[in-house]
Amino acid sequence: MNKKIKPSLNGMQWLAILLILAGLAAAFSVDFNRIQLEQANRTAGIMVDYDELFRCAQGRGIPFEEAVRKAHNSGATGIIVRERTLDDLEKTGKIVILQGAELKVNVQGGQFGQAAAELEIDDGATYILTENQTVYDQIFKLLEAKKRHPQAMGIGPYRAIRTDLYSGELSLLGVGYPLEELKAAAEQGMGVVPRIRNWAPVNEPSIQAEAEAVARIPGLAGFGFNDETLPGGDNANALAYFAQYFKSLNIPLVSFEFYDQSGLNSLAGLMDDRVLRAHAIADNEIKKYNVVSAVDRFRLAAAERNIRLIYVRFFGMDQPVAALDTNLELIKQVKTGLTAEGMAIGTPEAAAPVTTPMAIRFCIGLGVIAAGAWVLAITAAPLAKGRWQVPSMALMVLSAAAWGGILRLWPVPAVKLMALAAAITFPSLGALLILKKDMAQRRRTQALPHAVRDLLLMSLVSLGGALMMCALLTETRFMLKLDSFAGVKLAHILPLLLVPLALWLRERKAGQFFLRTAETPVKAWQLMAGALMLAALAIYILRTGNTGVSSVSSLELKIRQLLDTFLGVRPRTKEFAIGHPLMLVLLYFGYRFQMYPVLLLGLIGQVSLINTYAHLHTPLLISLFRSFNGLWLGLLAGCAAVLMLSRGWRMISKQPKGRGHS
């Protein structure tokens, strides 16, 4: 650094620098190991839906085994199957369901032989008839375990079960899996992931029976749940029983992206976070996609969000006769897209457990505390009149002691709080170190490369904070999105308040400026500019985090797709189109208090840069590449803006101040 950016440092600042560097060194070791683990876990599975494949086979008039073979040859590696209901089994001809009154009519008509006429039939009961012993055994055992009180009967050539069920339970209550068809799929090399249906009441015997039903599935590659609430919900006892019986199966739990299931994250913790993330296009969205756009979505999910099971839902299922060929081509294209991203196609395994040692987290936290104390010192310096070094160092010591205690007692809340502190502190520190008091005067004699250098240095400080934040939260639960960075809105808003406040306190004439502004009549264009700025900030806040997709226009979606195609990893729009260019303009022309709106919008780039790394489920190399693309594109846009503004200013300056009188 030259002396324009790095003035003479005092003891407190040297201590802060040493602690920050130590924290960075610790963070680098964690982040490097994380990158290695992420690169080692590059196998993805392509899953198809059992019901959709079965319907396509029926529509084409081919055996299910042949449809499975075609899907496997196209690139599919597995099948996801929902637990069967009684309605499902009846539609496939495996059982017959009769209400008591219906059965009585059939018996009286002699359909089941003379012996059946002597049976005592309850008009209000439900009777399940089948000739398949395996199906019978599976249904009976699960109905018994789920407290539906089945009774065994023989009705003519059929094995029968009498039970009391509400009409809705025929299509909701799970009674096992299509073992014969799944055996055929497993023989073709397909893995099977069952989705367990909810039921009540939930107890240990019913969970044990469900686990035994799942264990009988051939080619078992994982298990998941079908409904928004797991059986038993967040009931600790129920989840403990699930973990006890399903851990013994030695298969991962499957979570479905964008489908929140109550109790799943808690169960994942009990299963040592052995989880695979799956991604599908929802039923209500699939009509918006074609093969090309669907492949792009699946490709990005696997490459950028740690998805390891691509759940390919079929197009055109309103015409299943013609749907098979279309979707076999879709599977081929998905395989090609994943391979192009460097993924291996196969049966994925849950990632190895990852955690950051407490000593390393403590060291990283000290670096964040030091950065925070430095920001506080810069902010308070005009008020303290030089008497701020000792209080700042004392605050650092007290904060370090508190950090150590909280980290030991409540490690997860502690690291989430410190990660939030890093996201707020480092973009603020970078901006305050670069935006010097005399910049407006110095910039008049400096060239554009100096402004570029300053923006790079500012971004480097923010990146350092991002890597420290990442290292603090490097843990399996965060990487699998079973837990997440806390305080997204605060991380986006507080630096926009903190930096202007510090700069306002530094300006000796800021109060006079406010007084003059308050006494000046407001013009229409100023009201319009203020309204536009407030609207922009509102959109900025609403679109933070992983939500707000509905606010993205179709044009922006197309631009994003183009950027993904040409750059490999799409940069954040807030960085390359808004934040970095405006910050470069500010650095070139020099900061003045009157340029507060430009400062506010320019800070968005630094805030967005560090918050990119709050998406812990995104591989770290992808985030680094995203930041790099955002920075160089933002620099190009900023340089173009600087040149255009400079030329425009020169043209305005050359205009005569007034017309001559003739």
Side-chain angles (χ1 to χ4, degrees):
M1 289 184 179
N2 61 34
K3 62 182 180 180
K4 296 174 183 175
I5 302 167
K6 179 184 173 185
S8 58
L9 301 174
N10 55 51
M12 176 268 167
Q13 291 169 332
W14 276 115
L15 177 60
I17 289 172
L18 291 175
L19 290 175
I20 291 171
L21 291 176
L24 275 173
F28 284 152
S29 66
V30 174
D31 292 335
F32 180 75
N33 288 335
R34 174 182 163 181
I35 289 172
Q36 289 183 311
L37 288 170
E38 289 171 339
Q39 291 299 299
N41 181 27
R42 300 284 292 172
T43 300
I46 301 174
M47 313 297 289
V48 295
D49 187 81
Y50 170 85
D51 291 297
E52 293 173 346
L53 191 61
F54 192 90
R55 285 176 59 198
C56 286
Q58 282 186 320
R60 290 284 291 271
I62 61 176
F64 179 71
E65 295 86 343
E66 184 177 345
V68 170
R69 178 180 55 78
K70 289 177 179 290
H72 183 62
N73 291 342
S74 296
T77 63
I79 288 180
I80 292 180
V81 56
R82 292 175 175 83
E83 187 174 9
R84 301 292 88 187
T85 64
L86 293 171
D87 274 353
D88 292 332
L89 295 175
E90 185 177 42
K91 289 175 183 176
T92 56
K94 293 182 181 295
I95 64 172
V96 175
I97 303 173
L98 295 172
Q99 295 304 308
E102 296 175 290
L103 178 60
K104 187 178 289 186
V105 170
N106 288 320
V107 167
Q108 291 172 351
Q111 183 174 343
F112 299 108
Q114 186 62 36
E118 301 177 2
L119 293 173
E120 183 178 341
I121 300 173
D122 182 352
D123 288 357
T126 299
Y127 292 84
I128 304 162
L129 287 69
T130 182
E131 293 179 302
N132 189 312
Q133 184 66 43
T134 301
V135 172
Y136 173 87
D137 291 340
Q138 190 169 212
I139 293 174
F140 191 93
K141 185 169 185 179
L142 285 169
L143 286 177
E144 185 176 46
K146 295 175 181 180
K147 301 295 183 181
R148 297 310 188 267
H149 310 295
Q151 297 176 18
M153 300 176 64
I155 301 179
Y158 296 100
R159 299 294 305 274
I161 301 171
R162 178 204 178 279
T163 184
D164 295 315
L165 292 173
Y166 296 107
S167 59
E169 290 184 306
L170 297 177
S171 60
L172 295 175
L173 186 67
V175 289
Y177 303 89
L179 298 180
E180 294 175 1
E181 289 82 358
L182 296 180
K183 180 180 179 182
E187 289 173 350
Q188 295 283 347
M190 300 278 267
V192 179
V193 174
R195 297 185 70 177
I196 301 166
R197 293 183 183 271
N198 200 353
W199 76 89
V202 177
N203 51 32
E204 182 179 4
S206 62
I207 293 173
Q208 182 180 5
E210 189 68 46
E212 291 172 355
V214 170
R216 286 192 287 271
I217 296 174
L220 196 59
F223 77 100
F225 294 89
N226 185 70
D227 304 304
E228 292 183 358
T229 301
L230 270 61
D234 282 317
N235 182 280
N237 291 331
L239 294 177
Y241 289 134
F242 265 109
Q244 174 186 339
Y245 289 106
F246 279 85
K247 281 177 75 173
S248 64
L249 299 180
N250 196 32
I251 53 173
L253 173 63
V254 175
S255 70
F256 294 87
E257 190 178 30
F258 306 132
Y259 185 44
D260 294 330
Q261 295 178 292
S262 177
L264 188 134
N265 289 357
S266 300
L267 177 60
L270 294 172
M271 296 193 66
D272 304 321
D273 295 333
R274 192 179 177 197
V275 175
L276 288 175
R277 300 183 71 222
H279 177 78
I281 301 175
D283 291 339
N284 60 349
E285 290 185 275
I286 198 163
K287 291 184 179 180
K288 302 176 184 177
Y289 286 83
N290 55 34
V291 170
V292 174
S293 58
V295 169
D296 282 338
R297 174 164 166 166
F298 290 139
R299 178 178 56 81
L300 291 176
E304 298 189 10
R305 298 200 303 278
N306 202 24
I307 297 295
R308 290 298 173 262
L309 290 177
I310 300 299
Y311 185 9
V312 179
R313 302 301 304 277
F314 283 4
F315 290 109
M317 287 308 297
D318 52 341
Q319 299 289 336
V321 176
L324 184 59
D325 290 337
T326 299
N327 290 288
L328 291 177
E329 181 61 28
L330 171 62
I331 294 168
K332 290 178 183 177
Q333 293 296 327
V334 171
K335 180 180 180 180
T336 300
L338 294 178
T339 303
E341 292 290 340
M343 308 295 295
I345 308 302
T347 302
E349 296 184 358
V354 179
T355 189
T356 303
M358 187 174 293
I360 291 181
R361 280 177 164 165
F362 179 74
C363 184
I364 297 170
L366 290 182
V368 177
I369 290 170
W374 199 346
V375 170
L376 186 60
I378 293 173
T379 305
L383 301 176
K385 297 180 180 179
R387 297 187 295 273
W388 50 269
Q389 294 187 48
V390 173
S392 295
M393 295 181 74
L395 181 62
M396 288 170 62
V397 173
L398 291 174
S399 299
W403 161 238
I406 296 172
L407 181 63
R408 185 171 184 82
L409 294 174
W410 303 287
V412 174
V415 295
K416 292 171 79 170
L417 182 62
M418 191 57 72
L420 175 60
I424 295 169
T425 299
F426 279 91
S428 304
L429 179 62
L432 292 174
L433 289 177
I434 296 299
L435 294 173
K436 295 301 177 182
K437 186 176 180 180
D438 60 342
M439 180 170 284
Q441 288 75 31
R442 292 189 293 110
R443 186 59 62 203
R444 294 169 185 164
T445 61
Q446 293 184 342
L448 182 58
H450 291 85
V452 172
R453 177 206 60 192
D454 287 349
L455 180 56
L456 290 174
L457 289 172
M458 189 183 296
S459 300
L460 191 61
V461 174
S462 297
L463 179 62
L467 296 177
M468 294 169 77
M469 178 183 70
C470 262
L472 284 166
L473 298 178
T474 292
E475 191 169 317
T476 306
R477 292 189 63 78
F478 291 101
M479 295 168 68
L480 293 174
K481 213 177 179 183
L482 301 170
D483 203 344
S484 59
F485 175 82
V488 174
K489 303 293 185 187
L490 286 176
H492 279 80
I493 295 170
L494 287 184
L496 304 188
L497 301 177
L498 184 60
V499 173
L501 173 63
L503 295 177
W504 177 77
L505 290 173
R506 190 187 69 190
E507 296 289 338
R508 295 180 181 178
K509 298 181 180 179
Q512 297 177 12
F513 172 79
F514 275 117
L515 288 173
R516 290 197 304 270
T517 302
E519 295 171 354
T520 303
V522 179
K523 298 178 182 179
W525 71 266
Q526 292 172 328
L527 286 174
M528 293 176 62
L532 287 173
M533 186 172 176
L534 288 174
L537 288 175
I539 294 171
Y540 163 72
I541 293 169
L542 289 172
R543 288 181 53 174
T544 57
N546 291 324
T547 58
V549 176
S550 60
S551 64
V552 180
S553 67
S554 58
L555 176 60
E556 186 176 348
L557 287 174
K558 291 179 181 178
I559 294 173
R560 288 182 176 190
Q561 188 171 338
L562 285 173
L563 290 171
D564 275 319
T565 301
F566 289 106
L567 299 179
V569 177
R570 175 183 62 82
R572 302 287 183 202
T573 306
K574 290 177 288 189
E575 294 173 34
F576 79 88
I578 301 173
H580 294 331
L582 288 177
M583 184 58 76
L584 188 66
V585 168
L586 183 69
L587 292 171
Y588 179 81
F589 288 103
Y591 171 74
R592 302 172 184 83
F593 188 76
Q594 294 86 340
M595 297 184 73
Y596 166 77
V598 180
L599 169 66
L600 202 63
L601 294 173
L603 283 171
I604 288 175
Q606 300 303 307
V607 172
S608 176
L609 188 155
I610 194 168
N611 278 276
T612 292
Y613 297 81
H615 300 266
L616 277 302
H617 56 285
T618 299
L620 186 52
L621 280 180
I622 293 293
S623 294
L624 288 167
F625 199 6
R626 192 184 308 282
S627 297
F628 172 73
N629 282 339
L631 192 55
W632 73 262
L633 274 177
L635 284 171
L636 283 181
C639 288
V642 165
L643 294 175
M644 290 174 61
L645 289 171
S646 297
R647 183 168 182 176
W649 181 255
R650 285 197 298 269
M651 290 175 64
I652 293 172
S653 300
K654 291 178 181 179
Q655 293 292 328
K657 294 183 179 181
R659 297 281 185 184
H661 297 285
S662 55

